[in-house]
Amino acid sequence: MCGIVGYLGEKEATPILIEGLERLEYRGYDSAGIAVSVEDEIDVVKKAGKLKVLKEAISENPPAGKVGIGHTRWATHGSPSDLNSHPHSDCTGDFVIVHNGIIENFQQLKDELVDKGHSFRSETDTEVIAHLIEENYQGKLREAVLKVARMLEGSYALAILSKREPGKIIAIRRDSPLIVGIGEDENYIASDIPAFLQYTNQFYILDDEELAEVTRDNISLYDAAGNRIEKDVFVVNWDAEMAEKGGYEHFMLKEIHEEPDAIRRVLSNRVTPGNVDLSEINLSSEEIRNYDKIHIVACGTASYAGIMGKYVIEELVRMPVEVDIASEFRYRQPLIDENSLVIVVSQSGETADTLASLRLAQKKGAKVLAFTNVTGSSIAREADEVLYLQAGPEIAVASTKAYINMVVAFYILALYLAKVRSTVTEDRLYELIEEVLRLPKLATETIEKSLELVKERARVYKLQDNAFFIGRNIDFALSLEGALKLKEISYIHAEAYPAGELKHGPLALIEDGVPVVAIATRLSLYDKMLSNIKEVKARGADVLAITFEGETEVEKSVDHVIYIPRINELFSGALAIIPMHLLAYYTSLERGYDVDQPRNLAKSVTVE
Ligand code: M6R
């Protein structure tokens, strides 16, 4: 959500900034712009729309200069117009800034600045920052920025250029991510690591309220009080290619095909034959035995992984688990204390509501364990303990491999808690571990076996306006994820229901040809699912069932069946979701939509 890049070096800045912005496209945006400085001039070009519009605008006369900043904007205050696009500047044009976040007190600050004679060009909250710097500049940009930062309420990551101090970029952040890339005779600034991974794998990750003063051959770091600080260099092991499409048409398809490997990585060193080990997280056996409740807090797909976690933990560990959407949790005065374990789940590690929930839980005395995919993210840094998802970079807005790894992380945690609390016998634990270890191989088989039928179904689904996903127990958790994936990238209205709930309302919507995806992997509830399938079939639904190989009884009642390899039914979710990820992908493709960057959505939701 909004992407920031900055470059200072020996090369022309414009192509490097554009390339960096392209690598941040996954964050979602609706306008883009750059500012490049030569000596004491700053050339700003900004356009509503995708990066190709900006590229066209600069194609004949690209801004020349070796220092610059760039931005992709996801509109919050003011429409996605050329004027509202970043960079923004003050009255004189001396201070040029890009911003990610929301300034909550911008209206009050703007009114005060207008009273002092400042004139504004945009409707954005961001522009006040440029005018405040103009107002407070007394010969040192760094000091002015620190002073202004103290006046701002809300969140920001900022990169600032000034004609008064050419050859320099000031970067500062609070509650929005910002990193500084370290090169040779050149340095970089970005919202996220993939932006410049092809140039460097060494970064400083700024913490809240920290400021970086960057020139092409120096990086000085400061705290909020203006004191020099030292930080460790963060070395990234991904190579640039890992963040590329690797030959697939879209990141989402590549990421689905990476699911088996992703599962292998999350299991690695944690689950081995006969053992499950989570000593990497600092939870003592005593703590684990003393917890009386688990709270799982997350947004979107991550919350659906959390619902799966609830079913699995409650069944194996016999402990109550509550699952909350983070934007609800943070405002509902939750009943948690030091006897609660709070698990926050976030692929990006930057989701604003999840981060706020983490802080709330800590304030109430609970220990917070984070499941996240991004090392060095805000959630990773603030949580008491972190279990990294190890899915590798996920670029497509629709989360796929990270979702699966969240689910598998819950399997691992459930097995570990069950071991420590002795809620399963040693033999059963051994068997369950053996089953979990089969997942990577079975995930590959699932992709291979479901692909053709999924592609065929997508050609039918593309013509539909509505779809339903039904299931019971863990299959209901899966149906939530299946429906979200279809709706977010194919724009088909998709609803998930516990299958037993159909006759309490949604059955009224079933008529001839309405697609229903019926997930039936919970074998203890298989007969009940068959009855629910018959209810929708009798009303004309076009039913696609997903069940285990060998469960052929369902064929009598449905139109199509995707069979997944047999595994202990507690762990079917990590396989059964794969055809639903593929179905969403191919339906979106059939409809001709932008699969990786669906309309109105952003990969990393860093505002409330
Ligand atoms: O980065 P997070 O896991 O915290 O993101 C949470 C949601 O925004 C995210 O899962 C969203 O629902 C995805 N677009 C789903 O595919």
Side-chain angles (χ1 to χ4, degrees):
M1 183 163 281
C2 295
I4 288 177
V5 293
Y7 173 78
L8 315 95
E10 292 179 324
K11 303 182 195 117
E12 277 304 310
T14 296
I16 295 176
L17 295 173
I18 297 285
E19 198 184 349
L21 290 176
E22 280 171 342
R23 291 181 197 277
L24 295 182
E25 279 192 292
Y26 70 88
R27 299 172 69 86
Y29 70 104
D30 37 41
S31 61
I34 55 171
V36 176
S37 93
V38 205
E39 292 170 6
D40 57 356
E41 277 312 308
I42 300 178
D43 194 356
V44 177
V45 187
K46 46 193 203 166
K47 288 280 163 204
K50 292 288 175 187
L51 275 168
K52 73 175 198 293
V53 183
L54 177 68
K55 279 160 81 177
E56 272 161 30
I58 58 172
S59 60
E60 292 201 351
N61 193 12
K66 296 178 178 173
V67 178
I69 53 178
H71 189 263
T72 44
R73 170 176 187 252
W74 191 78
T76 56
H77 295 63
S79 61
S81 63
D82 288 358
L83 260 186
N84 287 333
S85 311
H86 299 210
H88 289 284
S89 54
D90 65 309
C91 303
T92 60
D94 282 2
F95 303 97
V96 178
I97 70 167
V98 290
H99 167 222
N100 174 13
I102 289 181
I103 304 304
E104 286 164 4
N105 58 339
F106 91 98
Q107 193 58 56
Q108 178 203 331
L109 294 168
K110 187 171 178 174
D111 293 345
E112 288 165 13
L113 287 160
V114 169
D115 286 347
K116 288 182 179 157
H118 289 259
S119 55
F120 282 75
R121 296 177 204 91
S122 76
E123 305 157 273
T124 64
D125 52 340
T126 301
E127 197 183 333
V128 294
I129 304 170
H131 292 271
L132 283 172
I133 296 173
E134 176 191 2
E135 190 68 27
N136 289 280
Y137 184 80
Q138 290 179 328
K140 274 216 166 128
L141 184 58
R142 169 168 45 91
E143 285 173 8
V145 172
L146 281 174
K147 189 168 173 199
V148 168
R150 288 193 277 273
M151 301 172 189
L152 303 177
E153 287 169 20
S155 58
Y156 53 79
L158 293 164
I160 302 152
L161 277 181
S162 173
K163 288 183 191 171
R164 314 260 186 109
E165 297 182 31
K168 180 187 288 180
I169 298 176
I170 299 284
I172 187 168
R173 63 152 274 178
R174 184 204 290 156
D175 288 341
S176 284
L178 203 59
I179 56 163
V180 182
I182 309 163
E184 252 180 55
D185 290 327
E186 53 188 7
N187 289 311
Y188 312 87
I189 287 158
S191 301
D192 198 359
I193 287 165
F196 293 119
L197 199 52
Q198 74 276 33
Y199 297 118
T200 182
N201 68 345
Q202 302 197 24
F203 298 89
Y204 288 120
I205 298 181
L206 296 185
D207 279 302
D208 271 353
E209 322 261 340
E210 286 177 354
L211 176 147
E213 185 171 41
V214 188
T215 61
R216 73 173 237 204
D217 47 20
N218 187 57
I219 301 168
S220 306
L221 304 172
Y222 298 85
D223 65 15
N227 302 311
R228 275 293 288 269
I229 52 166
E230 299 293 327
K231 285 183 86 81
D232 291 339
V233 173
F234 182 75
V235 181
V236 176
N237 296 324
W238 312 338
D239 58 23
E241 233 197 276
M242 267 179 96
E244 295 288 328
K245 283 189 201 149
Y248 288 95
E249 198 178 342
H250 294 98
F251 281 113
M252 181 176 176
L253 187 60
K254 171 175 176 266
E255 287 157 11
I256 295 172
H257 282 270
E258 287 170 344
E259 286 175 346
D261 269 346
I263 300 175
R264 205 166 279 120
R265 278 197 299 272
V266 72
L267 291 173
S268 155
N269 295 325
R270 293 168 176 150
V271 186
T272 47
N275 196 26
V276 52
D277 177 18
L278 277 183
S279 48
E280 72 196 270
I281 55 173
N282 187 19
L283 280 184
S284 68
S285 302
E286 198 193 340
E287 278 175 290
I288 291 176
R289 280 191 281 267
N290 284 343
Y291 288 130
D292 54 23
K293 199 181 223 184
I294 293 179
H295 292 258
I296 300 171
V297 188
C299 298
T301 277
S303 74
Y304 299 149
I307 293 175
M308 177 69 77
K310 171 185 165 76
Y311 283 112
V312 177
I313 294 171
E314 286 190 342
E315 190 160 329
L316 286 182
V317 193
R318 309 308 299 148
M319 239 180 123
V321 180
E322 275 188 28
V323 184
D324 272 89
I325 301 286
S327 53
E328 290 295 313
F329 180 83
R330 62 185 290 195
Y331 296 116
R332 80 164 169 86
Q333 300 176 27
L335 299 172
I336 48 177
D337 56 29
E338 61 284 354
N339 293 322
S340 321
L341 173 63
V342 174
I343 305 174
V344 297
V345 188
S346 173
Q347 186 286 131
S348 62
E350 299 293 349
T351 301
D353 285 314
T354 311
L355 182 59
S357 301
L358 175 160
R359 290 174 179 159
L360 174 70
Q362 283 176 333
K363 221 161 139 191
K364 285 176 169 277
K367 191 162 195 172
V368 178
L369 165 64
F371 287 5
T372 184
N373 199 31
V374 181
T375 330
S377 59
S378 304
I379 287 176
R381 280 178 292 118
E382 292 195 29
D384 299 291
E385 299 300 327
V386 183
L387 196 155
Y388 284 108
L389 296 170
Q390 312 280 20
E394 192 181 69
I395 307 295
V397 165
S399 183
T400 52
K401 59 178 180 170
Y403 165 81
I404 290 207
N405 275 19
M406 289 168 189
V407 166
V408 176
F410 277 116
Y411 298 164
I412 301 170
L413 182 71
L415 291 170
Y416 185 67
L417 298 180
K419 177 174 112 172
V420 175
R421 290 172 66 116
S422 308
T423 50
V424 294
T425 62
E426 274 185 28
D427 286 352
R428 175 133 195 259
L429 187 67
Y430 187 87
E431 277 166 28
L432 292 170
I433 286 172
E434 290 296 295
E435 287 293 89
V436 165
L437 287 170
R438 294 170 65 224
L439 281 171
K441 185 169 163 286
L442 299 187
T444 306
E445 271 178 40
T446 307
I447 296 175
E448 286 163 3
K449 290 187 178 158
S450 55
L451 203 53
E452 283 319 305
L453 181 54
V454 163
K455 286 184 184 171
E456 185 211 304
R457 289 288 79 209
R459 289 192 280 275
V460 175
Y461 276 46
K462 81 167 180 190
L463 303 170
Q464 306 297 325
D465 297 324
N466 298 292
F468 288 85
F469 287 71
I470 58 171
R472 286 169 175 262
N473 194 269
I474 58 174
D475 292 334
F476 166 59
L478 283 177
S479 63
L480 289 162
E481 165 66 1
L484 175 67
K485 217 89 309 174
L486 186 69
K487 83 180 90 170
E488 78 176 320
I489 59 169
S490 76
Y491 315 151
I492 292 172
H493 171 233
E495 284 204 57
Y497 266 94
E501 188 64 11
L502 285 171
K503 53 178 87 61
H504 300 286
L507 209 49
L509 295 170
I510 305 294
E511 53 185 2
D512 266 355
V514 169
V516 175
V517 177
I519 309 144
T521 70
R522 194 83 237 217
L523 296 181
S524 43
L525 298 168
Y526 189 70
D527 290 341
K528 297 201 179 299
M529 262 313 283
L530 285 184
S531 307
N532 297 133
I533 288 170
K534 285 182 181 132
E535 283 165 11
V536 291
K537 194 64 212 149
R539 284 150 183 96
D542 173 56
V543 184
L544 168 65
I546 300 177
T547 189
F548 286 124
E549 277 165 354
E551 296 302 326
T552 50
E553 178 67 19
V554 74
E555 285 178 19
K556 294 182 196 146
S557 319
V558 304
D559 302 276
H560 306 275
V561 189
I562 292 175
Y563 288 110
I564 62 164
R566 291 193 91 87
I567 189 160
N568 183 300
E569 58 176 301
L570 206 53
F571 307 131
S572 62
L575 303 180
I577 197 59
I578 295 173
M580 289 184 264
H581 283 165
L582 287 165
L583 182 65
Y585 172 79
Y586 283 106
T587 306
S588 173
L589 196 68
E590 286 288 338
R591 295 188 130 205
Y593 294 138
D594 187 343
V595 179
D596 284 336
Q597 289 177 56
R599 67 186 181 203
N600 306 338
L601 298 180
K603 180 68 180 166
S604 182
V605 184
T606 52
V607 293
E608 216 186 309

